[in-house]
Amino acid sequence: MEKTIVIYDSRPSLKDPLFIECLPGIGNVGKTAGDFIADSLNAERFATIYSEHFPPQVLLDDDNIVELANNQLWYVKDVGGRDIIFLRGDCQGSTQEGQFELCVEILNIVMGYGISGIITLGGYGTGQMVDVPRIFGAVTDLKIKKEYKGYGVEFPPGDPAAGIIGASGVFVGLGKVHGIPSICIMGETSGYFVDHKSAMAMVGVLMKKLDVELDLTDLQDKSEKIDELTAKVKEIDGRNQDLGYIG
Amino acid sequence: MEKTIVIYDSRPSLKDPLFIECLPGIGNVGKTAGDFIADSLNAERFATIYSEHFPPQVLLDDDNIVELANNQLWYVKDVGGRDIIFLRGDCQGSTQEGQFELCVEILNIVMGYGISGIITLGGYGTGQMVDVPRIFGAVTDLKIKKEYKGYGVEFPPGDPAAGIIGASGVFVGLGKVHGIPSICIMGETSGYFVDHKSAMAMVGVLMKKLDVELDLTDLQDKSEKIDELTAKVKEIDGRNQDLGYIG
Amino acid sequence: MEKTIVIYDSRPSLKDPLFIECLPGIGNVGKTAGDFIADSLNAERFATIYSEHFPPQVLLDDDNIVELANNQLWYVKDVGGRDIIFLRGDCQGSTQEGQFELCVEILNIVMGYGISGIITLGGYGTGQMVDVPRIFGAVTDLKIKKEYKGYGVEFPPGDPAAGIIGASGVFVGLGKVHGIPSICIMGETSGYFVDHKSAMAMVGVLMKKLDVELDLTDLQDKSEKIDELTAKVKEIDGRNQDLGYIG
Amino acid sequence: MEKTIVIYDSRPSLKDPLFIECLPGIGNVGKTAGDFIADSLNAERFATIYSEHFPPQVLLDDDNIVELANNQLWYVKDVGGRDIIFLRGDCQGSTQEGQFELCVEILNIVMGYGISGIITLGGYGTGQMVDVPRIFGAVTDLKIKKEYKGYGVEFPPGDPAAGIIGASGVFVGLGKVHGIPSICIMGETSGYFVDHKSAMAMVGVLMKKLDVELDLTDLQDKSEKIDELTAKVKEIDGRNQDLGYIG
C-alpha cells in the first residue's frame, strides 16, 4: 500500500533550486529561521506530504478546521537569481526508520526538480544561556566549508562530537551520497525555548548566502525578549544557568 | 505478503453513503453512540477486516467460539433517503504507523462505495465529572461547521488544542486530503468509564443530522446510572471531582 | 526483500493433514505435549522457517554447532488413518505484527498441503499450584466443541475472558476466517515452570482425538516431580501458593 | 521504496573470497581485530551500505565533513592465495528486524562474489578482568571446528549458553542455512572497554588461518595498557573485579 501521500498544489518549473530544510528541532532555531525567510520571500506551497511515519493526528486551526500531520514543500523563484525549495512542517518522523525513509522519499521528490545544493537548518544545544549565539556548520566537502566560513559560520573540528541526528543530519548525509554540495547550519542555543535570537543570527548567515536583505524588525523584537529572559536568569543565579526544560 | 485480510459477507449496492466511524476511544463515547445507532437501524455487516496492526489475539463469546481481533463495515440503506456505512470494532491499530495504514486502507475500501461524507465519533476527555455533556466538533470546511452548529455542536476556537489522535482524527484528516466533507464529533466526558450519557447527547446530534427518531429508552436508563454515579462522586467530594481512572 | 526464508528437507505428499501448533507459551504446556507426541510418533522435519520476526540470534548445541532461531514443520503419516503436520520451535515472533505475519505465512504453507483442521496447544495460567490440571478449549464452531467435550475438554463460558494471545490464538482465529475447523486446547498450569503434568493431561486428550496409544512413562516420571514440587510448596505455605516466577 | 542504498566504489573481481564480519560489539574485540587486519593488509573499500535500519544520523570527521551512518565492504586479494571481503562499520541495525534484514541483504551481496566461507568476529563478555583472554568458537559443522581447534580456538560445549546475538550470530546462522562453512570467533573480554588485548589474541588466531604475518607492535602497545589497567584494578580490589561499565 501507499505509505506516503503527496498532494500537489502546483508543479512549478524551477531552475537548479537550492533545497532548504527547516523542520522542528533543538530550540526550533532551524524552523524559526527557515519559516521567517520563506515567509519574508513570499514562498508558495506546492506540495503537501502525508505519511504513516508522522503521528496519526490532526491539528486544529482557530476555525476548528483540521489538518493531518504533514510536511510541505514551498518554493520561491529568483532570489538573487536563484530558485529555492523549502521543506516546512510541524513534525519529523516518529521512528528512526521513519525519519530515514521520509528523508529518502522527500529527497527523491526535490531531486526531480534538479536541486543544486542542500542547506539544513538546526540547533546546537548547549544547555546554558547563550549571550551571542554562534552559527556552526557540518558539510559534504571542503569547498562549501570555505564558502560558509566567508559568511561567518564556524567549524570547530569534529564538533558536534555526537554527530547530527534527524532530518538535518540525514539530508546532508544523503546529499553527500548523491554528490550534492550540502551543509547543515546549526544555531547555538540553550535549547530551553524557541530561540528567536539564535534564529536571527542564522538568518544573518543565510541573507549573505542568498544575497538578499530582509526586514528583521519582527525577529529583532522577539530576539530582545530572549535577551531579557537571559538577563533575568543571570540575575537569579549567575553561576548556575542550567534551567531545565521550560518550553 | 498480504498484511490486511478483508472478508466480505456481501457487496451491497450503496448510493453516496455517509461513512460513520465508531471505534473505541476516550470514554467509549463514539463506540457507544455509533453501535447504538447502527443496531437501532438494523445495520448489516458486509465486511470484516483483519490486520497485522491489530493485537495478535482472539476473543471468545459465551459459547467459547473465537473471533480474531478485527474491525467491521456495516451498512444500512435509506435512512432519511441516505445510505450509511459504519466502521465498528473492539480495537484500533496497535502502533502509530499501523493506525495510519489501517485508516488509509479502510478509506480506500469505503471510497470504492462513493462515500459523500465522513463522520467520526470520539470523546473529549475532561478528567472531571460532567453534568451536561456538550458535543464538540472539528471539521474539514466552514460549510459543514455551519451545518452542525445547527444541530447543537459547539466549536470553541482551536479546541482541543492537542488535536485529535487516532482513527477519529486520521479519517477526518484524510477526508480533507481527498476533498470529502468530514467532521469529528466529540462527546464531553470524564473519560473514567463508558459514558452512556455523553453518548446519548451525541446520538441526539446524529438523529438531527440523519433526520431519524430512535427509541432512546435503553440509552436513557444507562445514562441515568451515570447521573447517579456523578451525584455520588459529588457527595463524597464536592470540590475535587478528579477520580483517577476507575474503568 | 525476502523477509521469510523457508528451507525444505522434503516435500511430503500428505492427505488432508491435521495441523498441530506446539510453540512455546505459558508453562510450555503446548510445546511439551506437542513435542512429546511428535517424537513418540517419529515425526520427520520437512521444512525450517527463518524470519526477521524471530530474534536475530543463533543457539548452540553441545558440539557448538549453531542454529539460527527458527520454527519447523514436521509430519507423520497415517496416525489412525490421518496425516499430521506439527509446527515446532523455540520461539514465537518478537513483535505483535511479526506474530501475526508469521501465522499468516505459515498457515499459507500448510494450507498448500490441504489441512483439514487446526489444533493449537497452549497453557491456561492460574498463578496457583494446580492439583489436577483441567484442559480447556476455544473453538471455531459448535461441532468441534461437542467433539472435544467427548475427549474431556472443558468449556467454561467465555473463559479465558482476556482471550488468547499469540500463535495459539491467531491460528485458531485465522482458521475461522478460512473456514477450517479449529480448536485451541489449553492445559491448566501455574505457569511458573515447564509443566509436564499439565502436558500429560493434554496428551491424554490428544490420544483420544488421534486414536493412538503412546508410552507415557517418561512424561509420567516428570509429572510426578511436579507433584512433589506442588506438595513441597503446599507444605511451606498452605494458604499462599503464589510462588512468583521461578522458571 | 528503496530501503537500502548501496554505493559502489568499484566492482572487484574476486575468487572464492572469505567473508569476515567485524562490526562493533562486546568490548569491540571483533571490530578492533578486523579493522587491524584489514588495515594491515591494505584492504580497499568497494561498497558503502546505507539503510533505514541504521540510526538516522551523520558523524563528523575533524574537517567537519559528514558521513551518514553506514556499513562498508572492503576487499583484499591474494592473502596466502586467498581473497577476502571485510564488513566494517560503526553501527549495527537499530532493531531486531533491522539486524536480520541487513544481514540477509549484505549476505546476498557477498554471495554474489561467491564467498567460500564466513568468519564473524565478536566478544565473549565475562564481566570480570581477564588475564589471558581465550578465543572461543561456534561453527556450522564439525570440520571447521576441527580446523580452528588447530589454531587454538576453544569450544567449551554449548557455550555461550545464551547463544550469539546480532550480526556475528546471524551471519553464521545464515551461513549454515546456505551451506557455507562458517565460524563465529569470540574473544574473551570483560566488556568494559575497547579490549585491544583480546583483539590481539584474536588476530593471532586469524594470522594462522590466513597464513600471514602482521606487525603487531601497535596492537601490542595498546594491549599492554590493558594489562596496566587490569593490574591497577586488581590492586584496588583483589576480590571484586566487577567494575561496572566504564567505557
Side-chain angles (χ1 to χ4, degrees):
Chain A
M1 69 142 263
E2 203 180 350
K3 291 176 167 177
T4 302
I5 302 170
V6 183
I7 304 291
Y8 285 89
D9 302 292
S10 67
R11 306 262 184 175
S13 167
L14 303 173
K15 194 172 169 302
D16 307 336
L18 197 59
F19 175 56
I20 301 180
E21 174 270 328
C22 39
L23 296 176
I26 302 166
N28 262 4
V29 178
K31 177 174 171 54
T32 306
D35 282 351
F36 174 83
I37 294 173
D39 288 340
S40 299
L41 295 171
N42 296 312
E44 276 187 50
R45 193 188 70 190
F46 69 98
T48 307
I49 298 154
Y50 305 95
S51 166
E52 57 160 2
H53 298 306
F54 294 130
Q57 184 174 8
V58 290
L59 293 177
L60 278 67
D61 68 13
D62 286 344
D63 283 323
N64 290 41
I65 306 285
V66 298
E67 187 65 37
L68 190 58
N70 64 61
N71 280 185
Q72 307 120 36
L73 295 173
W74 296 62
Y75 77 97
V76 58
K77 299 187 79 157
D78 198 9
V79 178
R82 185 200 314 268
D83 297 348
I84 305 175
I85 295 175
F86 295 91
L87 176 63
R88 307 172 70 177
D90 287 320
C91 54
Q92 294 203 18
S94 300
T95 64
Q96 293 203 356
E97 285 92 344
Q99 290 193 0
F100 186 89
E101 280 197 32
L102 277 165
C103 289
V104 170
E105 294 185 26
I106 291 170
L107 192 61
N108 280 346
I109 295 173
V110 297
M111 282 174 71
Y113 284 93
I115 56 167
S116 57
I118 298 172
I119 306 175
T120 67
L121 308 182
Y124 182 107
T126 62
Q128 298 280 325
M129 297 307 283
V130 176
D131 274 323
V132 183
R134 290 169 295 176
I135 304 295
F136 300 117
V139 295
T140 51
D141 58 88
L142 295 173
K143 198 176 153 197
I144 194 169
K145 180 178 175 181
K146 195 178 163 196
E147 180 191 356
Y148 279 82
K149 269 189 176 169
Y151 307 139
V153 175
E154 300 181 35
F155 295 86
D159 201 23
I164 304 163
I165 297 173
S168 284
V170 175
F171 276 119
V172 173
L174 288 172
K176 191 178 174 199
V177 170
H178 291 285
I180 303 168
S182 308
I183 183 167
C184 173
I185 302 178
M186 292 157 279
E188 199 177 21
T189 175
S190 67
Y192 297 138
F193 40 74
V194 176
D195 194 335
H196 294 91
K197 189 171 185 183
S198 186
M200 194 170 72
M202 182 175 279
V203 170
V205 165
L206 290 165
M207 287 196 307
K208 287 178 194 155
K209 165 66 184 169
L210 301 177
D211 198 17
V212 285
E213 272 304 315
L214 304 175
D215 177 0
L216 300 181
T217 314
D218 182 57
L219 215 47
Q220 180 66 38
D221 289 351
K222 286 175 176 157
S223 178
E224 276 162 18
K225 286 190 183 123
I226 305 287
D227 284 338
E228 289 165 26
L229 180 61
T230 304
K232 269 183 206 156
V233 167
K234 291 202 170 171
E235 206 178 288
I236 293 165
D237 186 348
R239 289 152 301 165
N240 179 4
Q241 299 172 24
D242 204 325
L243 301 175
Y245 202 94
I246 59 169
Chain B
M1 70 141 261
E2 203 179 349
K3 289 176 169 177
T4 301
I5 302 171
V6 183
I7 304 292
Y8 285 89
D9 301 292
S10 68
R11 306 262 184 176
S13 168
L14 302 174
K15 194 171 169 303
D16 307 337
L18 197 59
F19 175 55
I20 301 181
E21 174 270 329
C22 39
L23 296 176
I26 302 166
N28 263 4
V29 177
K31 177 173 170 55
T32 304
D35 283 352
F36 174 83
I37 294 174
D39 289 339
S40 298
L41 295 172
N42 296 312
E44 276 186 51
R45 193 188 70 190
F46 69 98
T48 307
I49 298 154
Y50 305 95
S51 167
E52 58 160 1
H53 298 305
F54 294 130
Q57 184 174 9
V58 290
L59 293 177
L60 278 67
D61 68 15
D62 286 344
D63 283 322
N64 291 42
I65 306 285
V66 298
E67 186 64 39
L68 191 58
N70 63 60
N71 280 184
Q72 308 120 34
L73 295 173
W74 297 62
Y75 76 97
V76 59
K77 298 187 80 155
D78 197 8
V79 178
R82 185 198 315 269
D83 296 348
I84 305 175
I85 295 174
F86 294 92
L87 176 63
R88 308 173 68 178
D90 287 320
C91 54
Q92 295 203 17
S94 300
T95 63
Q96 292 204 356
E97 284 91 345
Q99 290 194 359
F100 186 89
E101 280 198 33
L102 278 165
C103 289
V104 170
E105 294 186 27
I106 291 170
L107 192 61
N108 281 347
I109 294 173
V110 297
M111 282 174 71
Y113 284 92
I115 56 168
S116 56
I118 299 172
I119 305 175
T120 67
L121 308 182
Y124 182 106
T126 62
Q128 298 279 327
M129 296 307 283
V130 176
D131 273 324
V132 183
R134 289 169 294 176
I135 303 296
F136 300 116
V139 295
T140 51
D141 57 88
L142 294 174
K143 196 175 154 196
I144 194 170
K145 180 177 174 181
K146 194 177 164 197
E147 179 192 355
Y148 278 82
K149 269 189 176 168
Y151 307 140
V153 175
E154 299 181 34
F155 293 86
D159 199 24
I164 304 163
I165 297 173
S168 284
V170 175
F171 276 119
V172 172
L174 288 172
K176 191 179 174 198
V177 170
H178 290 285
I180 303 168
S182 308
I183 183 167
C184 174
I185 301 178
M186 292 158 278
E188 199 177 21
T189 176
S190 68
Y192 297 138
F193 40 74
V194 176
D195 195 334
H196 293 91
K197 188 170 185 185
S198 186
M200 194 170 73
M202 182 175 278
V203 170
V205 165
L206 289 165
M207 288 197 305
K208 287 178 195 156
K209 165 65 185 170
L210 301 176
D211 198 17
V212 286
E213 272 303 315
L214 303 176
D215 176 359
L216 300 180
T217 314
D218 182 58
L219 215 46
Q220 179 67 38
D221 290 350
K222 286 174 177 158
S223 178
E224 276 162 18
K225 287 192 182 120
I226 305 287
D227 284 336
E228 287 165 28
L229 181 61
T230 305
K232 269 183 206 156
V233 168
K234 290 202 171 172
E235 204 179 291
I236 294 164
D237 186 347
R239 288 151 303 164
N240 178 3
Q241 299 172 26
D242 203 325
L243 301 176
Y245 201 95
I246 60 168
Chain C
M1 70 142 262
E2 204 178 351
K3 291 177 168 178
T4 301
I5 302 171
V6 184
I7 304 292
Y8 285 88
D9 302 291
S10 67
R11 305 260 183 177
S13 168
L14 303 174
K15 193 170 170 304
D16 307 336
L18 197 57
F19 175 55
I20 301 181
E21 174 269 330
C22 40
L23 296 176
I26 301 166
N28 263 3
V29 178
K31 176 173 171 53
T32 305
D35 283 352
F36 174 83
I37 294 173
D39 289 339
S40 299
L41 294 173
N42 295 312
E44 276 187 50
R45 193 187 69 190
F46 70 98
T48 307
I49 299 154
Y50 305 95
S51 166
E52 58 160 1
H53 298 305
F54 294 131
Q57 184 173 7
V58 290
L59 293 177
L60 278 67
D61 68 14
D62 285 344
D63 283 322
N64 290 42
I65 307 286
V66 298
E67 186 65 38
L68 191 58
N70 63 61
N71 280 185
Q72 308 121 35
L73 295 173
W74 297 61
Y75 76 98
V76 58
K77 298 186 79 157
D78 197 9
V79 178
R82 185 200 314 268
D83 295 349
I84 305 175
I85 295 174
F86 294 92
L87 176 63
R88 307 173 69 178
D90 288 320
C91 54
Q92 295 203 18
S94 301
T95 63
Q96 293 204 353
E97 284 92 344
Q99 290 194 359
F100 186 89
E101 279 197 33
L102 278 165
C103 290
V104 170
E105 294 186 26
I106 290 170
L107 191 62
N108 280 345
I109 294 173
V110 296
M111 281 174 70
Y113 284 92
I115 57 168
S116 56
I118 299 172
I119 305 176
T120 67
L121 309 181
Y124 182 106
T126 62
Q128 298 279 327
M129 297 306 283
V130 176
D131 275 322
V132 182
R134 289 169 294 175
I135 303 296
F136 299 117
V139 295
T140 51
D141 57 88
L142 293 174
K143 197 176 154 196
I144 195 169
K145 180 177 174 181
K146 193 177 164 196
E147 180 191 356
Y148 277 82
K149 269 189 175 168
Y151 306 141
V153 175
E154 300 181 33
F155 293 86
D159 200 23
I164 304 163
I165 297 173
S168 284
V170 175
F171 275 120
V172 172
L174 289 172
K176 190 179 175 199
V177 169
H178 290 286
I180 302 168
S182 308
I183 184 167
C184 174
I185 301 178
M186 291 158 278
E188 200 177 20
T189 176
S190 68
Y192 297 140
F193 40 75
V194 176
D195 195 334
H196 294 91
K197 188 169 186 185
S198 186
M200 194 170 72
M202 182 175 279
V203 170
V205 165
L206 289 165
M207 288 196 305
K208 287 178 194 155
K209 165 67 185 169
L210 301 176
D211 198 16
V212 286
E213 271 304 314
L214 303 175
D215 177 359
L216 300 180
T217 314
D218 182 58
L219 214 46
Q220 179 67 37
D221 290 350
K222 287 175 177 156
S223 178
E224 276 161 17
K225 287 193 182 118
I226 305 286
D227 284 338
E228 288 165 27
L229 181 61
T230 305
K232 269 184 208 157
V233 168
K234 290 201 173 174
E235 204 179 292
I236 294 165
D237 187 346
R239 287 152 304 165
N240 179 4
Q241 298 171 27
D242 203 326
L243 300 175
Y245 202 94
I246 60 169
Chain D
M1 70 141 262
E2 204 179 350
K3 291 177 167 178
T4 301
I5 302 170
V6 184
I7 304 291
Y8 286 89
D9 302 291
S10 68
R11 306 260 184 176
S13 167
L14 303 173
K15 195 171 168 302
D16 307 337
L18 197 57
F19 175 56
I20 302 181
E21 174 270 330
C22 39
L23 296 176
I26 300 166
N28 262 4
V29 177
K31 176 174 172 53
T32 305
D35 282 352
F36 174 83
I37 294 173
D39 288 340
S40 299
L41 295 172
N42 296 313
E44 276 187 51
R45 193 188 68 190
F46 69 99
T48 307
I49 298 155
Y50 306 95
S51 167
E52 57 159 2
H53 298 305
F54 294 130
Q57 185 174 7
V58 291
L59 293 177
L60 278 67
D61 69 14
D62 286 344
D63 283 323
N64 290 41
I65 306 286
V66 297
E67 186 65 38
L68 191 57
N70 63 61
N71 280 184
Q72 307 121 36
L73 295 173
W74 296 62
Y75 77 99
V76 59
K77 298 185 80 154
D78 197 10
V79 178
R82 185 200 313 269
D83 296 348
I84 305 175
I85 295 174
F86 295 92
L87 175 64
R88 307 173 69 178
D90 288 321
C91 53
Q92 294 203 18
S94 302
T95 63
Q96 293 204 356
E97 284 92 343
Q99 290 193 0
F100 187 89
E101 279 197 33
L102 278 164
C103 289
V104 170
E105 294 185 27
I106 290 170
L107 192 62
N108 280 346
I109 294 173
V110 297
M111 282 174 70
Y113 284 92
I115 56 168
S116 57
I118 298 172
I119 306 176
T120 67
L121 308 181
Y124 182 107
T126 62
Q128 298 280 326
M129 296 307 283
V130 176
D131 275 322
V132 183
R134 290 170 292 176
I135 303 295
F136 301 117
V139 295
T140 51
D141 57 88
L142 294 173
K143 198 176 155 198
I144 195 169
K145 180 177 174 181
K146 194 178 164 196
E147 180 191 357
Y148 278 82
K149 269 189 175 167
Y151 306 140
V153 175
E154 300 182 33
F155 294 86
D159 200 23
I164 304 163
I165 297 173
S168 284
V170 175
F171 276 120
V172 173
L174 289 171
K176 190 178 175 200
V177 170
H178 291 286
I180 302 167
S182 307
I183 184 167
C184 174
I185 302 178
M186 291 158 279
E188 200 177 20
T189 176
S190 68
Y192 297 138
F193 39 77
V194 177
D195 194 335
H196 293 92
K197 188 169 186 184
S198 186
M200 195 170 71
M202 182 175 279
V203 170
V205 165
L206 290 165
M207 288 196 306
K208 288 178 195 156
K209 164 68 184 169
L210 301 176
D211 198 16
V212 287
E213 273 303 316
L214 304 175
D215 177 359
L216 299 180
T217 314
D218 183 58
L219 215 46
Q220 180 66 39
D221 291 351
K222 287 176 176 155
S223 177
E224 276 162 16
K225 284 188 184 126
I226 305 286
D227 284 337
E228 288 166 26
L229 182 61
T230 304
K232 268 184 208 156
V233 168
K234 291 202 170 172
E235 207 179 289
I236 294 165
D237 186 347
R239 289 152 301 164
N240 178 4
Q241 298 171 26
D242 203 325
L243 300 175
Y245 201 96
I246 61 168

